[in-house]
Amino acid sequence: MEGPVAPVAVVTGAGQGIGLATARLLAQSGYRTVLAGRDRAKLDAAAAAVPGPALAVAADLTVPAQVEELFATVEDTWAPAEVLVANAGTSLAAPITRTTDAQWQQMLDTNLTAPFRCIRRALPPMLEARRGRIVVIASVVAKRGERQVSAYTASKHGVLGLVRAVADEVARHGVTANAVCPGYVDTPMTDATVAAIAERTGTTPAEARAVLERRQPIHRLVQPEEVAAAVLSCVQNGAINGQGINVDGGAVQS
């Protein structure tokens, strides 16, 4: 006799870093995991590294039709998502006076509008089932301003506001929405930040990385698995709702 079917979790930006660590942890916790992102080769490799059933779906989430295609594929292949982890994002460093309209729009499209569309599409089946978890990977700059990253900071402030509004709207229907707000994490995105700092300041990559490490009281970069653990706590605990949970070694206290 077959046992119960495992619930489905969709993780965006799952080809590497926080997304991959989260997909692995959700799989270990009994979820069928959907790994979404732009790079098919990375997704296939990531899916192969995930224990248990894993489905790789290539999608550019800044394109509305591809958001619909992602969730339709998940539902046709398995079932509606019970968990959505909106992790896909991008960063940009530039003085505000040198931030172009195109760069500003890129930050909003990827870090704010794409999660909005994913949440909007994932919610109806969750509300119907009266069960669901939404977690957005934001940033500590969702809670503070920081020089050189005005567009990125604005997009992350926006997505935290989105999460809080959604949380209040759906709480009475068995669905929760939270944000996890990491500091500097040891990921390829941070590697790019390190390279940009080194180039801008004339330092070595090691020196630039040390600068980021010192910005956090623990004097090291956060590990992707530490962020994933915070995501899992939001998934497992239905009393956590509308929160922006800092995973930054104590850099921002709230």
Side-chain angles (χ1 to χ4, degrees):
M1 185 174 180
E2 295 184 1
V5 177
V8 175
V10 172
V11 183
T12 70
Q16 61 187 17
I18 293 170
L20 177 53
T22 299
R24 283 176 174 159
L25 187 56
L26 288 170
Q28 292 165 2
S29 302
Y31 287 87
R32 291 179 286 173
T33 54
V34 179
L35 293 85
R38 297 184 184 186
D39 190 322
R40 166 59 70 179
K42 279 186 180 179
L43 290 175
D44 288 341
V50 169
L55 176 66
V57 182
D60 180 348
L61 300 177
T62 65
V63 179
Q66 294 192 34
V67 174
E68 173 58 34
E69 289 170 7
L70 165 63
F71 286 93
T73 298
V74 172
E75 291 162 0
D76 292 343
T77 304
W78 282 342
E82 185 172 312
V83 172
L84 167 64
V85 181
N87 165 71
T90 190
S91 64
L92 166 74
I96 190 166
T97 54
R98 298 180 187 173
T99 301
T100 67
D101 284 359
Q103 290 170 328
W104 173 267
Q105 195 61 52
Q106 179 193 19
M107 291 300 103
L108 295 184
D109 288 346
T110 304
N111 297 339
L112 177 54
T113 304
F116 157 71
R117 289 176 177 144
C118 288
I119 292 169
R120 181 177 62 183
R121 178 58 179 78
L123 262 177
M126 293 181 182
L127 295 173
E128 183 177 354
R130 299 191 67 82
R131 183 175 62 253
R133 299 286 182 263
I134 294 166
V135 185
V136 176
I137 306 302
S139 167
V140 288
V141 298
K143 298 184 176 183
R144 72 180 186 199
E146 190 167 311
R147 70 189 70 178
Q148 301 286 330
V149 288
S150 56
Y152 179 75
T153 298
S155 69
K156 293 300 186 178
H157 269 69
V159 86
L160 180 56
L162 169 66
V163 164
R164 287 170 167 165
V166 170
D168 187 54
E169 188 170 324
V170 303
R172 290 164 294 282
H173 303 282
V175 181
T176 63
N178 292 284
V180 171
C181 302
Y184 290 102
V185 186
D186 191 7
T187 64
M189 181 182 289
T190 298
D191 291 341
T193 300
V194 166
I197 292 173
E199 181 179 359
R200 187 172 67 246
T201 61
T203 57
T204 67
E207 290 168 335
R209 186 174 294 273
V211 169
L212 298 186
E213 291 171 346
R214 288 194 299 270
R215 289 185 184 179
Q216 301 182 137
I218 55 176
H219 277 204
R220 65 171 176 83
L221 299 182
V222 176
Q223 292 303 303
E225 292 76 15
E226 293 172 314
V227 182
V231 173
L232 184 63
S233 70
C234 294
V235 169
Q236 293 180 331
N237 191 336
I240 301 175
N241 191 40
Q243 302 305 305
I245 298 173
N246 299 343
V247 185
D248 64 350
V252 174
Q253 297 184 6
S254 61

